[in-house]
Amino acid sequence: MFYFFFASTWGPVVWSYQAEIFPLRVRAKGAALATMTNWATGAILTWAFPHIEAALSNQANVYWIFFSFCVLMFFWTWAMVPETKGLTLEEIGEVFGDKPVINMTEAGKQ
């Protein structure tokens, strides 16, 4: 079930999205920090899951908790994450508030 519902849909989005959202001047460091954060939160969830499951009297409740977070994530993504399909890296930078880089060939003509 995991591979069908998560690994084939939401899972890969993180890796492509984090490569696009950082400005060129900090892209490598931003992608590294995003990767570290992704792995750290995965490790924390992996560690916490058995403890949460043991603490709840009804073990199915832990799945409902994760399901609830997935539903919240869906609506947050729908409202807050802009579409980047078909945009160049420069256009994506502008979507996220980057100032456009002056084209040197056009700047010389002025």
Side-chain angles (χ1 to χ4, degrees):
M1 285 182 101
F2 171 79
Y3 289 110
F4 182 74
F5 287 107
F6 179 77
S8 64
T9 57
W10 291 101
V13 171
V14 173
W15 301 107
S16 61
Y17 205 70
Q18 75 180 13
E20 297 175 344
I21 63 172
F22 296 105
L24 287 174
R25 65 184 179 280
V26 295
R27 180 159 293 144
K29 290 180 182 178
L33 183 62
T35 300
M36 183 199 68
T37 303
N38 189 19
W39 280 94
T41 54
I44 290 167
L45 283 173
T46 302
W47 174 83
F49 185 83
H51 299 290
I52 295 169
E53 188 177 34
L56 296 173
S57 59
N58 182 357
Q59 293 182 346
N61 286 339
V62 75
Y63 293 102
W64 285 111
I65 292 169
F66 284 121
F67 172 75
S68 301
F69 277 108
C70 285
V71 170
L72 291 172
M73 178 185 67
F74 173 80
F75 286 112
W76 182 85
T77 303
W78 187 268
M80 303 299 290
V81 178
E83 176 63 61
T84 59
K85 180 180 177 183
L87 299 177
T88 65
L89 289 176
E90 291 77 17
E91 292 170 333
I92 292 170
E94 291 177 25
V95 167
F96 289 103
D98 241 11
K99 295 180 181 166
V101 178
I102 298 173
N103 188 339
M104 295 309 289
T105 57
E106 290 178 15
K109 293 178 184 176
Q110 294 179 1

